[in-house]
Amino acid sequence: MPDSIERIEAFARVDHERMERQAMPEFIYADGKTPEQVAAIFSAMVERSGMALASRASVDHFAAVHARIADATYDPIARLIVSRGLPPNPIGQVLVIAAGTSDLPVAEEANGLLRFLGDSCELLCDVGVSGIHRLLSQIETLRCADVLIVVAGMEGALPSVVGGLVNAPVIAVPTSVGYGASFGGLAALLGMLNTCTPGITVVNIDNGLGAASAAHRILTRHRLSSSQRR
Amino acid sequence: MPDSIERIEAFARVDHERMERQAMPEFIYADGKTPEQVAAIFSAMVERSGMALASRASVDHFAAVHARIADATYDPIARLIVSRGLPPNPIGQVLVIAAGTSDLPVAEEANGLLRFLGDSCELLCDVGVSGIHRLLSQIETLRCADVLIVVAGMEGALPSVVGGLVNAPVIAVPTSVGYGASFGGLAALLGMLNTCTPGITVVNIDNGLGAASAAHRILTRHRLSSSQRR
Amino acid sequence: MPDSIERIEAFARVDHERMERQAMPEFIYADGKTPEQVAAIFSAMVERSGMALASRASVDHFAAVHARIADATYDPIARLIVSRGLPPNPIGQVLVIAAGTSDLPVAEEANGLLRFLGDSCELLCDVGVSGIHRLLSQIETLRCADVLIVVAGMEGALPSVVGGLVNAPVIAVPTSVGYGASFGGLAALLGMLNTCTPGITVVNIDNGLGAASAAHRILTRHRLSSSQRR
Amino acid sequence: MPDSIERIEAFARVDHERMERQAMPEFIYADGKTPEQVAAIFSAMVERSGMALASRASVDHFAAVHARIADATYDPIARLIVSRGLPPNPIGQVLVIAAGTSDLPVAEEANGLLRFLGDSCELLCDVGVSGIHRLLSQIETLRCADVLIVVAGMEGALPSVVGGLVNAPVIAVPTSVGYGASFGGLAALLGMLNTCTPGITVVNIDNGLGAASAAHRILTRHRLSSSQRR
Amino acid sequence: MPDSIERIEAFARVDHERMERQAMPEFIYADGKTPEQVAAIFSAMVERSGMALASRASVDHFAAVHARIADATYDPIARLIVSRGLPPNPIGQVLVIAAGTSDLPVAEEANGLLRFLGDSCELLCDVGVSGIHRLLSQIETLRCADVLIVVAGMEGALPSVVGGLVNAPVIAVPTSVGYGASFGGLAALLGMLNTCTPGITVVNIDNGLGAASAAHRILTRHRLSSSQRR
Amino acid sequence: MPDSIERIEAFARVDHERMERQAMPEFIYADGKTPEQVAAIFSAMVERSGMALASRASVDHFAAVHARIADATYDPIARLIVSRGLPPNPIGQVLVIAAGTSDLPVAEEANGLLRFLGDSCELLCDVGVSGIHRLLSQIETLRCADVLIVVAGMEGALPSVVGGLVNAPVIAVPTSVGYGASFGGLAALLGMLNTCTPGITVVNIDNGLGAASAAHRILTRHRLSSSQRR
Amino acid sequence: MPDSIERIEAFARVDHERMERQAMPEFIYADGKTPEQVAAIFSAMVERSGMALASRASVDHFAAVHARIADATYDPIARLIVSRGLPPNPIGQVLVIAAGTSDLPVAEEANGLLRFLGDSCELLCDVGVSGIHRLLSQIETLRCADVLIVVAGMEGALPSVVGGLVNAPVIAVPTSVGYGASFGGLAALLGMLNTCTPGITVVNIDNGLGAASAAHRILTRHRLSSSQRR
Amino acid sequence: MPDSIERIEAFARVDHERMERQAMPEFIYADGKTPEQVAAIFSAMVERSGMALASRASVDHFAAVHARIADATYDPIARLIVSRGLPPNPIGQVLVIAAGTSDLPVAEEANGLLRFLGDSCELLCDVGVSGIHRLLSQIETLRCADVLIVVAGMEGALPSVVGGLVNAPVIAVPTSVGYGASFGGLAALLGMLNTCTPGITVVNIDNGLGAASAAHRILTRHRLSSSQRR
């Protein structure tokens, strides 16, 4: 086993080279793991790389982590446990848009990860398509962003409209907000995949983490080429 | 068997009282019927009530009908065979909107039925949400209509935006336009059912006929109450 | 930000012009929002426009609202929190039909919204198709209505039969009542979308609110044209 | 290999005892078999038991069969190839109902098999629920039948209504007639499975053969008990 | 309102003529109704027709019923509340087969209804297809039955095998027993609909009540013809 | 009833010959059975054959079993209750691979059954495809195994990669680990069924037991032929 | 690029080391490739390794291959193009079972690949579960096999029954044979995944090639251990 | 109608400002439009903006376009009609990867659009996960790219592996390549959405155009910031 992979008891192998390969450390997906498992992996990461982040974490997960890592913090809406993170990087701007108030937890998950990764990020909320003027009044904010993450449930139409107004990449995040034939976010997911606006990409339902990671990958290359060019 | 039901050979029973009960004659759904069956039912209807309409009709269906009913006409885009219809009624205005050029056949099916039923109707095409200003430039036209039929494929977001701009009833028609995960119009259908704009109702995929019938039902009560009040 | 959009802390933007654009105020969808969020938005609406309605509200939501708005009332079957509403308007009559006793909560949601919007409304219950004479004995009531909202679970056949008996628009609401292969109302939804009766439109599963909004849009144009004509 | 199983070349084993076990001979499902395969199995059956029936047969299948069995006949609507059959049995009456003209091929498949099996059968067509009086005018015919096979596409509501009017078993057959969200008959199938009328059973989409076989099983026990009692 | 329909407060209309039309009284589907609603309908039925049955009933439903109807009994496995029933009728024999122990609740629901309707019924359990000799050792029992109700979850293969061994009608009941890709009984349902054994009919997932009602309809015609013939 | 089938009260028939026919005793699927039912079947098996295993067992199931069979043990992660088992057999080696920590419960279910059946088994954890070098560093371990069980959730890609590296049979087990459009493991299941690596077979979602049984069947023939050859 | 990977123009990279890694050469999946592409890859493989096999091949594919490789042969039922293959290996016996005549093409695909790989294979046809005695009469043949491939459409019940009779591994292959709610083989697939017989594994719909590859992997380890032991 | 929207007869409105808003001209989706419609829109675009591109175009579409625009060219694999395009821009590098030969048409659609938009692009083919060393041997090429478009059918696992090796954004394109339970690309789509590698985004099935547009949006911001910084 190469040195870069650390074995945590019988149940995990931490991939410490991921930072180098993917420009992000490995994250811990807490849901389905016991508090003890999460705490063991979390502290191993902090020890080795000086930072860690766990998503979909419950209060119980946090209690176990906090007992080991005193400076870990918990955001109950975003459900993130965080300890430190990458230094802020001023190059590149992400805008996270939540169609409605109920989409906020997913938007905050994206927001929290971006801050952990040192990326610059702003949040815009409750600008759904049924009152299109709410969105149009923000058009300058939209056009400034280098990456837009658009979080929406129900029919998931917001990314199509946003994508029509900007030239930057738009990452659409369907949420499980809705009822009846929304089928836990499937309606929004299908809507976003079938967008009539070219250039919109989609991540899994409620996957704020994935959207933020994708935005970070974009900014990483951005910074790389910009530093190479200088 | 009551006198109002006429038996056409072994395969059909024409419901001649439908005009009275539903304010529309019965229509013939040609798909899946032989040209001979369609022609027999069509001519029985014309004979008894002076008008007939067949939808989803092929050129072969039309040939068989035309051999019996000389004044029948065929619209190959809307796929309608029509003979005469109800007299024009000036009360109430329907606006049929097609998101893209590919949605035209369904929009024309709606349009064709409305003309057959004597309703006043206008058609607006290629105003999809990826270029929202195309729609906003038509806002006066939108607000004049008493009923709006909005035909869209792909993500089916247009009815949500239109419904946010008007106070009239909006009938959304998903079309099978799209590919991949549009699943023959299912994505648009789910999007429309999950609209965040209250007061939008939906008909089956590609069902221009159903949307036009619903619009006619609305105008029928409109006229009734308006005549009663006078 | 135009004056008509009011920002409630970080999580909501109330669309105060909606009354003008859509002839209805904005509603609050309480499910997935915290009691505090609902109460903040609710009281902002009451303050500005003198009325508010929240749907899918729990007792906890109501407690938070009631602490701020003393005259707010709660209907635990319809799950609506209401404060005041539009003045009664005598023009136009809505009939809400529930196929079975288990469909009542959805029918009452529709009913409650219509009363809030000042519309005239009657409720008919337990007239499912397995005992068709129960429905046929009410035929005069059916034919008087200007709009019919038909709420049904299981196979969702009732709107097809009702639509065959009247000339008014029929809005079908599938409910999640049923078991096994009803798939949370999907069977009823598909049944209603595939109705053989032309002119029936459908809203999302359990969406009494949407059906009532659509009925209100119909009556709004009704009243408009009727007042213009006078 | 027991004597009751006959091997036809490498590809089939005819189950000649099935008549004894199931009171029906084995049928040949022609679709997906070559004309030569169908003809070989068909003639082996006729030789051994004096009768045979192939369903979902094309004209090509028939040509190959007819070359070997001169008295075989073909019904192009029901798509059945038949040679002789069981003697007529007067005990028990089956009524096959087709909701619309487009459901006829499936109804005729049921009808054709029942005649082959010697059962007494009547056919009623175009009595769909959107004009409920067409059905109610036939109520005496409905109540005479010992078994009812109800064939319907679209929303598949007819069996629920029929089942509410009679005390005999109702076998529902969904058809693939419809478009859009009928999903090849899935909507009708789900509707029939979710019927609110107790005592309706369902067979596969377009499976007239299955429904007729089930009806024959019912009549078989009927006759048995009736003969035992005499 | 005809005299045969009794209105129970605002929420129900009891169909007292159902006994005459369908040879069964109306049943109460308790799930989704409040204990008070169930008790009110239950006692109205007992008062008028001397018997009642409620399915999918909880202990709370039973407590409310028992407070009004002292002789009502409750079977917690079948989840049925019963008061009296039809007199036993010796003509016709039903066999209920449960593939595994976990399918017993659904089989007992069928069993309980049949006893309520006075039908003669036997129960056979744990004879699934993975040990086919368990079934084959019961072949005489299988062949005696006039109707077989076969209850199975997982792959739902048992009805196909049983149907191949008997000439009586087989009613297949898929259960939600299983996990993973059983999708709440969908796998068993599809398996049964696609049976290769002709003459098997299917009811909804977990619908023991529906299967028993269908069996009762078969026996009703059986008895009728047998009494007419005497 | 043959002597090899033992009837446990009314609800179960133990198939004591299964060991002979399938080289494995019958297992008890505890989920959906009462603790009493599980304990009765479990002790009947131990009495007759000296061993028993129950899967998907809760602590309550274990309490009831333990009261009767003192040497029974319970693994709360694998959810297995075990009493003794088959003697260890050195021929053949199984490797169980879990893609991530969250897939461990399913991997442990497989592992536990293999030990019960006397098979030689090793477990490898947290070697998912997003850090492919973790897997490649274990290639010698992979190539030694005679059967590989690969347990993975999310996109289920691991079996495809593993299967490309070895010549032994690979049994893929999708898990319900994931969220959003994983649909309870459906995404992983479909991924594994559509593998581009020839020779991978799949069992149901979360079905560690099924995978281990399949591995045991392979080793059984292995041993048989190897003993015959000696 | 390592020497073991050969680049064929721009569109393919032949993996010549696969024989060593997976004990099988790479196969060509012809469907969706042009005849020219198939022929180029096919001849490159023959040149380098002395053998090749293409599946899902049309007559046009064969014509292009045959023009380059004179000894290539084509089986139009199995749709395989084959040139030579591995030498016959007497260790281990595969039995391929086809439930019905219509399942033969898939069974023959499996059969053809096994012969190409030098494995010993027998084919048993038309032994579906609706006449269970046809299968039981072959029980000795079943018990001799070291691996069983069971091919079935419709409800896919045959593997469950077969698996209950033998101790060898059973690989289930669902076919797209069926209609209506078989959904192109989905019903059979789900049935097989939900089998109540432990130890059955499943491959994709119609994937005879995958099943045969899995069988070959099993025999490969068989032979390896058997040769090591000698 | 603003000057930037040009109306082409009744069926289209060309959005000439899209270049400015989205840094791409509007494209023509040819499928479902008549050759005449495509040619009319195509030539209007060329006239006004000097370039045009139509996707999913048939030979018939091309013939109609070519008759009007002499320099238009057609790529039958990518199904693109192109006339001129944007000038080449050296900043930023896109790598398009096709898992197998059958995925080439979709990869070429992406490739063709990127060239039209002036972006720098390379294509890598046949590096699927079943022979992982084919991919690993290209790792330097992978790490150079600023954006990777990964096109794969079947289980769609390639993007997860690629994303684990690079720090650049990865856009996954599922293709409809596969059979059986691939359900027209759904399996690959779900696999990609459920990737365990953070930062992968997905477009619709077979949507090479969408992936290329997203890549272009990324490079556009790249260039913008890079030019601003200089």
Side-chain angles (χ1 to χ4, degrees), chain G residues 109-142:
Chain G
E109 188 186 79
N111 205 14
L113 176 56
L114 287 166
R115 275 194 309 259
F116 175 75
L117 295 172
D119 299 320
S120 182
C121 174
E122 204 178 331
L123 183 64
L124 191 66
C125 188
D126 206 10
V127 291
V129 297
S130 78
I132 198 76
H133 57 297
R134 289 182 299 191
L135 182 73
L136 297 178
S137 72
Q138 305 287 329
I139 200 153
E140 283 323 302
T141 309
L142 301 181

Side-chain angles (χ1 to χ4, degrees), chain A residues 99 129 150-152 155-165 170-174 188 192 195 197 200-201, chain B residues 155, chain H residues 217:
Chain A
V129 298
V150 184
V151 182
E155 83 274 61
L158 188 57
S160 297
V161 178
V162 169
L165 300 170
V170 174
I171 300 166
V173 190
M192 290 169 176
T195 176
T197 305
I200 291 174
T201 61
Chain B
E155 84 273 61
Chain H
R217 283 173 179 262

Side-chain angles (χ1 to χ4, degrees), chain E residues 3 5 35 49 74 78 84 107 123 133 175 183 188 215 226 228:
Chain E
D3 185 56
I5 307 172
S49 64
Y74 181 58
R84 290 163 241 172
L123 183 65
H133 56 297
T175 68
F183 299 121
S226 128
Q228 283 170 338

